[in-house]
Amino acid sequence: MKINYYTDQGVQVPHLRRQIISRWIKQVANELGKSLGEISYKFTNDTGILEANKLFLQHDYFTDILTFDSSPAGSSYIAGDILISLETVASNAEKFNVPYEEELHRVLIHGVLHLAGLDDQTPQEEKLMRLAEDRALILLRRLVGDRPFLST
């Protein structure tokens, strides 16, 4: 299991509690019957995610996350690349009236849930995805304890 963190477009990697994040992601994957291979997070801005959305998916719009699965078909482990626009995460946090740190971690686990096989294309799938995200955030709160989600 390996989790990598990268950036582009002059964006800084958020001050994540990496050891806790690793344990958290591993636990969430295990609850879904999966183990972890290699996951790479790349943090970008809206320009970077729009370019990737156009290039790889032929979509001409902004999004908070793009997930690229590299797990072999039928595999019991998950692996892939997850591209996150920190600008869209921040605007979504404002829009949904939640702390930025919570929205960022929701998006971090959203990509993992996609790699584990959850989708959010239909209203029913979206509801199940939100429930899985909420469950994962509860677990993260237990792991973090009374500390903030992000380190300083």
Side-chain angles (χ1 to χ4, degrees):
M1 171 191 116
K2 184 173 182 185
I3 300 175
N4 305 300
Y5 300 94
Y6 304 99
T7 65
D8 75 352
Q9 304 286 342
V11 173
Q12 289 187 337
V13 173
H15 296 284
L16 300 168
R17 297 185 178 279
R18 292 184 185 197
Q19 289 182 331
I20 291 174
I21 297 294
S22 293
R23 284 198 329 250
W24 177 50
I25 290 172
K26 183 178 180 181
Q27 226 172 315
V28 169
N30 288 343
E31 286 179 6
L32 296 168
K34 301 285 185 177
S35 58
L36 286 184
E38 187 169 348
I39 295 176
S40 294
Y41 286 102
K42 185 173 184 183
F43 299 98
T44 190
N45 57 23
D46 284 348
T47 301
I49 206 151
L50 180 61
E51 288 172 5
N53 217 1
K54 286 178 180 178
L55 180 65
F56 296 110
L57 302 174
Q58 292 72 51
H59 295 165
D60 190 11
Y61 55 81
F62 296 101
T63 186
D64 52 357
I65 184 170
L66 294 174
T67 306
F68 302 95
D69 191 347
S70 61
S71 314
S75 172
S76 65
Y77 73 90
I78 59 174
D81 298 316
I82 299 170
L83 182 64
I84 295 173
S85 169
L86 295 178
E87 284 182 300
T88 301
V89 168
S91 61
N92 283 348
E94 217 173 279
K95 177 179 166 183
F96 300 127
N97 197 29
V98 298
Y100 170 78
E101 295 80 10
E102 181 179 320
E103 186 63 18
L104 175 60
H105 285 80
R106 180 179 297 278
V107 173
L108 287 171
I109 208 64
H110 183 90
V112 171
L113 294 170
H114 271 308
L115 294 175
L118 276 74
D119 212 339
D120 55 1
Q121 297 300 307
T122 69
Q124 182 62 24
E125 289 173 341
E126 189 174 342
K127 184 178 178 181
L128 292 173
M129 176 67 84
R130 295 297 160 256
L131 288 171
E133 291 170 356
D134 290 344
R135 250 183 92 152
L137 287 171
I138 289 167
L139 173 60
L140 178 62
R141 283 189 190 93
R142 283 192 211 122
L143 292 171
V144 169
D146 58 356
R147 295 170 290 178
F149 276 2
L150 296 176
S151 63
T152 51

